[in-house]
Amino acid sequence: MAVNKNDRSYGAEQIQVLEGLDPVRKRPGMYIGSTGPKGLHHLVYEVVDNSIDEALAGVCDTIEVILNANGSVTVSDNGSGIPVDIHPKTGKSTVETVLTVLHAGGKFDNGAYKVSGGLHGVGVSVVNALSEYLKVEVKRNGNLYFQEFKRGVPVSDLKIIDKAKGTGTSITFMPDSEIFEEIDFKYETLEYRLMEMAFLNKGISITIEDKINDKKKEFHYEGGIRAFVKHLNRNRNPIHNKEIYYEGEKEGSTVEIAIQYTDSYSENIFAFANNINTQEGGTHLSGLKSALTRTVNDYARRNNILKEKDNNLSGEDIREGITTVLSVKLSDPQFEGQTKTKLGNSEMRGIVDNIVSTAMDNFLEENPKEAKIIVGKSLSASRAREAARKARDLTRRKSVLESSALPGKLADCSEKDASLSEIFIVEGDSAGGSAKQGRDRRTQAILPLKGKIMNVEKARLDKILNFAEIKAMITAFGASIGEDFDISNLRYHKIVIMTDADVDGAHIRTLILTFLYRYMKPLIENGFIYIAQPPLYKVKAGKQEYYAYTDEELDKILRQDLKDIKIKPSISRYKGLGEMDPEQLWDTTMDPEKRILLQVTIDDAVAADEIFTTLMGDKVQPRREFIEENARKVKNLDI
């Protein structure tokens, strides 16, 4: 994907100016998605994307991200450096133009960058506009150039401050506390994304350093996405050692595919377009799925594994246990969907289909032993799928839902509008009884679960659908499961997991979330899943009662709220929801006016998959390592 620099160099004439910067500070959410943690971290990604563009053009192989002690971030690369000459349209230096004019950047001219990363393409000008200050250093022409900005406005002109060897750009910025809800960067969030970028761009070295907590990691993968698949499967059991890998180019676009099957029952496909994780899929993912289905069926029939009378294997059968990374790079990506992470370029369906078919066909023909294992697993999945279909028929929601079709233990609400309805998944009959009595019967439904549900990470769908408590959830939600899943039939737009604040409650919550993530992921992606936050303590002093949801709140109540009361307060630590009477449960945990709910989101699908596999999978060692690494962060441990 390298550009011929002799043909057309990256200079001022490649920087096109599209529009001004004024709207950014007024409506930051339009440019970076939100002013919460996601938008804050997007600032770093936007700067890193510029460095990745240089790497894709073949002029950069080292990127460094530093979380500085004062809260600012520095991103440096050894690319060609932002051009310093005067821009013909703005009359300012190109550095200043790139940092002060929206959509000014080389990525808008294919003569400079053939392929460009970055989801919104808004450039570092948005980072500049939303920063309290930004400092840029450019090494170019044997000189070190410097310019500083405050809230997007230049403090001085671009000037030479020293001599310099080599080329590159370094940008240091401090996010503006007037814009963002919080300005604390999370090392782990950035670490996952930068690791992902290093996998997707083989040979590039990306370093992240946290000066506050004295942490540092370097990511460098010569194996690229092949190493990515190996990393994703390190907590699973692969059923063939050699990864299926292929890289091809067609019609100016490149496609890289890496595949490895494991003995697990869920499919894990991560599709990227120009380094963006296209969580909503798109045409490239459609091409991948159709190629896999056709190629494996053709191979099975050619080799008489599937007889003439047998039905074809379904796509679901063939993808059971698969771990795949698909990375496409194209010059003009069109993103669509709710979060702009769905690839819409129609030509990519055929291009990916063609390249993946070639890769899969070659692998199956050249590796008959592995091919037999893969097809055998698909046949086993097919038999289980038929059993699951029969079980699913028992839980499928009818077009006109009769009360008899609902689980007997469900106390439904009277409201039929899903957007106004919510369901509480409650642990045990005792808490379920309190919740049923204390709820708002018009909008709140209660579904008590008996004990812990099964660990779906270690079971096929046919076994899962025979588990009574899971069957009850599926029926109550109304959207079905698997190939019949239809989110438009969902009966509640708030599904609230309400478990005890102890170890067992946390385990039940994790089991439920694992089920939802593996088999009803759109419920999480669309923001329908919540976790209730019951209080940890009840403080009573005379006739006064207080509830504390954290140790910090308890301390505040004792120090401030009760400082003038002479009666010694009594403190009760709640172990279970069943200890609360209906009125207390309503007041503390269910009343929409007072309660605290945590919405479950997937900020990074790769990280989420890794955590669920680690916590709920077969391998003990990764789980031990996870516990050892995170033990110090645990609060309110109940043993």
Side-chain angles (χ1 to χ4, degrees), residues 265 267 293 313-321 378 381-382 385 392 461 481-484 519:
Y265 303 116
E267 65 177 71
T293 305
L313 297 163
S314 75
E316 271 191 310
D317 301 334
I318 291 165
R319 296 192 302 273
E320 184 189 270
S378 300
S382 179
R385 180 173 57 87
R392 190 164 51 234
L461 187 58
I481 192 173
E483 58 194 17
D484 295 327
Y519 291 98

Side-chain angles (χ1 to χ4, degrees), residues 406-587:
L406 292 169
K409 60 179 73 178
L410 172 71
D412 205 4
C413 56
S414 58
E415 177 62 64
K416 298 304 177 189
D417 184 344
S419 66
L420 302 175
S421 306
E422 52 190 42
I423 183 170
F424 287 81
I425 310 300
V426 186
E427 168 194 356
D429 290 336
S430 176
S434 290
K436 286 178 182 179
Q437 293 177 57
R439 67 183 171 132
D440 178 346
R441 293 169 184 265
R442 187 178 64 82
T443 59
Q444 295 179 329
I446 309 295
L447 180 65
L449 297 183
K450 187 178 180 181
K452 295 176 181 178
I453 71 166
M454 73 185 304
N455 180 3
V456 302
E457 197 76 8
K458 300 178 181 180
R460 268 202 176 105
L461 187 58
D462 57 322
K463 301 291 185 191
I464 292 166
L465 289 175
N466 281 319
F467 194 86
E469 305 305 297
I470 288 180
K471 204 187 304 186
M473 281 194 286
I474 297 167
T475 309
F477 297 168
S480 195
I481 192 173
E483 58 194 17
D484 295 327
F485 182 83
D486 184 354
I487 202 166
S488 66
N489 289 331
L490 187 65
R491 302 180 64 243
Y492 314 93
H493 282 189
K494 270 196 177 73
I495 297 171
V496 185
I497 303 169
M498 189 163 70
T499 59
D500 292 346
D502 60 8
V503 171
D504 279 345
H507 191 204
I508 291 167
R509 185 166 64 242
T510 304
L511 288 165
I512 295 171
L513 286 172
T514 304
F515 165 64
L516 294 172
Y517 180 78
R518 293 300 185 200
Y519 291 98
M520 293 184 169
K521 193 186 288 186
L523 297 185
I524 301 177
E525 291 170 338
N526 286 275
F528 293 143
I529 308 299
Y530 295 82
I531 295 173
Q533 295 292 287
L536 291 175
Y537 303 99
K538 177 184 175 183
V539 181
K540 190 168 184 178
K543 294 183 179 180
Q544 299 208 47
E545 291 184 348
Y546 299 85
Y547 296 99
Y549 294 82
T550 64
D551 287 329
E552 290 76 16
E553 279 191 25
L554 175 64
D555 187 53
K556 177 183 173 293
I557 290 168
L558 296 175
R559 282 189 301 103
Q560 295 181 25
D561 298 339
L562 297 178
K563 66 181 180 181
D564 296 328
I565 296 178
K566 295 178 181 178
I567 303 170
K568 186 178 180 181
S570 65
I571 303 169
S572 306
R573 167 74 158 90
Y574 283 116
K575 288 292 182 74
L577 298 169
E579 294 180 17
M580 297 186 196
D581 61 39
E583 187 178 346
Q584 287 176 328
L585 192 57
W586 166 258
D587 284 342

